[in-house]
Amino acid sequence: MQLHQKISVALNAATAAGRVGLVPFVTAGYPIKDEFIKVLSEICKDGDVVEVGVPFSDPMADGITIQRSSHSAIEQGVTLNWIIDQLAASDIDTPIVLMSYLNPLLAYGYEALAADAAKAGVCGFIVPDLPWEESEHLRAALETQGLGLVQLVTPATPEDRLEMLCKVSQGFIYAVTVTGVTGGDQSMPAEVVDYLDVVKRHASIPVCAGFGVREPSQVAMLGKHADGVIVGSALLEKIESGEDAAAFLRGLQG
Amino acid sequence: MNEALENMSDADRAEHLRKLIAGEYPDKRGRYGPFGGSYAPETLVTALKRLEQGIHEFLADDELQVELRRELKDWVGRPTALTHARGLSKRWGADVWLKREDLAHTGAHKINNALGQAFLAKKLGAKRVVAETGAGQHGVATAAACARVGIPCTVYMGAVDIERQAPNVDRMYQLGANVVPVTGGDATLRAAIDEAFRNWVADPAETFYLLGSAVGPHPYPWLVQVLQSVIGTEARAQIIEAAGGLPDIAVACVGGGSNAIGLFHPMLADSGIEMLGIEAGGLGPDLGDNSATLAAGKPGVLHGTYSMLLYDADGQIQETHSVSAGLDYPGVGPEHALLKTIGRVTYHSITDDVALDALRECCAFEGILPAIESSHALAGAREWAKENPGKRILIGLSGRGDKDMPTLSKHMSFREAAE
């Protein structure tokens, strides 16, 4: 089995169990660098797949929460090298997807990155500033290790392009629910349902909905039209305020 | 990737230059050789394609182009003068000419781009314009252009820049713009661009992002080059007429690189013209002390483009320093990255102190107060003149220095200088 297939398998298992798949996101090393693996282990209890954010100095697709967490992590010396070392030394077996802007990946070197990430238990990557058309070099490197590159689709994506992205995505399809950055608190527009149904229709791997997911009611609603939900900013805010992250995640699933 | 660039053969270099001159760059993928491209979030991919299509229609729309040219003449005040710098010529032992973008409406070359893009925004039916600004010159130009064409505008500006460029903030308000302080990141131009992108991502269908420099995802570097090329096209004709021939060298300052690309691009085919781009050397060569991207950077991706960039071993973008807010940017336009790689343009850097000294010289001997940004070009030209006596030098004087008075008061005392 290719590494990226582990992601699909985990999400399909949730579906088979009658649950909405849960993909929690944390910025690595936030809020406290030394507690990274502890925080990650905690959310792995409820996460079917976990998304680990590599902090970047210029997170242009992210809202204030992830900007703040990224800035703090960088200040504490969190780097992609460090994250991979930490993951490699941990005994986490939940499939991990690394979310990173492109430049830290470029700085690491694609070939070395693919080899080291695969050894560390990473199954795929999400790169918000890498549209499909620019992704050839990174994909070539990831493919040698069976790592996947998750494609994002948005409500602004025309249907022919959406169909193409659904075909080429690996692991899952990241369906951005709002036109905007991460962490918004606006209510999900009603058209989201129709949009997700279109994505679902073109998808042959699981579809996960993300951006602005905060409430159990949203999870219940999205879960009817997608296989999983991604929870990032809302989770980080719970972790920030010292609340029980695992309880929050369990609560989301109703 | 660095090695591949350094090992580029002479034939490859010549071919890249040919394509650039022939208009084959940017290519279909928005690339200038290895540089450029479009590294934008998926939400913007469709908006960028629509923008590219819109630019082609805009450029082919004769009526609109006639109207734009009329506005450039009657409202901006083009063509801007080409001034023979008699005082500097005598002092440097050279024949020095200044392309006076400081005389353009709102005081800098930024208006050429802002007006053109405001026309484009209107044509595309945008409901609002967002822009970023560093020194405030692009913000003021955008505010003015949007007021002129009748479209609301919001300008994102780093909190640090708001403080050091206060007069320009008030000008933007007076011109009807909504100025939003950006406190995230390094709170300068780079953070303002991040924030303008975020705002655009939230409403790609009705918002037009009026980007101020020759950076960003394709088609922006190309659009800005096309709109700024009026500088070099005018200067080329003016210097032939006034001086009887082409210059030996053209010199311009480079931050993101919009005024430099505007001056250089129309003269790339003139193989007899040497070209020199001057970056901000800040306090010195140490990482973090300057914004000399082409001198000290390596290829990377920021703000949607693959170009030369200042970043650390972990890929984090470096904080930069320059006394001039307009040059204080860790990246540079992809066309400059190619021009450096193929050796068509040489890039040097000038430190804060040397730039300020050149500013004072221009004030004292030409009666012109240049922007601190433009003073980097003056200083670079002066150094070149020392090595190459008796040559004809064309300098892009990109803007006027009125906006820099608070900084100048801090850094030098003119009264002291006079005594």
Side-chain angles (χ1 to χ4, degrees), chain A residues 50-66:
Chain A
V50 292
E51 193 187 333
V52 172
V54 178
F56 182 51
S57 51
D58 291 72
M60 72 176 186
D62 284 299
I64 47 165
T65 303
I66 296 177

Side-chain angles (χ1 to χ4, degrees), chain B residues 85-94 357 361 364-366 382:
Chain B
R86 289 193 299 261
L88 297 182
S89 293
K90 200 170 157 198
R91 289 172 63 82
W92 300 357
D357 182 67
E361 187 182 26
F365 297 95
E366 295 301 338
R382 183 170 64 185

Side-chain angles (χ1 to χ4, degrees), chain B residues 24 34 51 66 80 100 110 131 250 302 332 335 366 405 410:
Chain B
E24 291 171 29
L51 175 63
V66 167
T80 56
R100 301 287 307 281
K110 292 289 183 189
L302 177 69
V332 67
E335 189 173 345
E366 295 301 338
M405 285 319 299
K410 232 188 271 176

